[in-house]
Amino acid sequence: MKAPLFAIYVTLAVVIAVVLFVLIPSQEPGDARPDVLDEQIMLVMDAFAVDSCEEVRVVGSYKRTDAEGFRQMLAYSAPMPCVEAMREAAIARGFAEGRGGTYVLENETAPEALTFYTEPGATRGAFEWERTGQ
């Protein structure tokens, strides 16, 4: 008796999933709306009080919210002068240098980490900003 009921539930779940994927239009991965990208750029520039950065691009983002709070990671590509300005701004905000290009702000309610990726002689670098909170 339990097996046929289980099969019905599984079949119903598959049908609902197929209908949702077919009927609900979705964007291709990586096709973020320009206004969202602009917001993500302004968020990091405002948080670190860096207004001299030009040609900053969002190259990745992740956000999860649950009962424990939120966790967000944003990755950016930027010209080297901007990457250096971000590093200086992180130190000015109280970030402490850690391992592998990571700077950490220990805040019990909202810890943050900023990781820099650079190569000698490169014209562009990258940085990731990870933050959590309630």
Side-chain angles (χ1 to χ4, degrees):
M1 178 91 177
K2 290 183 184 179
L5 190 56
F6 178 74
I8 291 171
Y9 286 143
V10 169
T11 304
L12 184 59
V14 169
V15 168
I16 290 171
V18 168
V19 168
L20 289 176
F21 283 120
V22 170
L23 296 180
I24 297 177
S26 63
Q27 296 176 339
E28 291 294 318
D31 287 347
R33 296 186 333 246
D35 58 326
V36 172
L37 298 178
D38 289 342
E39 286 176 21
Q40 291 174 340
I41 292 170
M42 293 307 299
L43 179 66
V44 75
M45 295 298 121
D46 289 347
F48 289 89
V50 176
D51 58 359
S52 62
C53 289
E54 300 285 331
E55 299 178 32
V56 175
R57 291 183 291 209
V58 176
V59 294
S61 66
Y62 165 82
K63 185 172 183 179
R64 183 206 79 224
T65 304
D66 56 23
E68 296 175 13
F70 75 91
R71 180 178 194 94
Q72 182 177 34
M73 188 280 297
L74 297 165
Y76 302 89
S77 168
M80 286 305 292
C82 180
V83 173
E84 290 304 319
M86 285 297 297
R87 186 185 326 264
E88 292 171 11
I91 293 169
R93 269 192 65 201
F95 280 69
E97 187 172 2
R99 293 183 172 182
T102 299
Y103 291 74
V104 179
L105 179 64
E106 293 295 335
N107 181 338
E108 289 185 25
T109 58
E112 298 179 50
L114 197 60
T115 305
F116 296 95
Y117 303 94
T118 60
E119 289 186 27
T123 58
R124 292 187 72 85
F127 58 92
E128 290 178 352
W129 181 34
E130 188 173 348
R131 60 194 193 118
T132 59
Q134 293 296 325

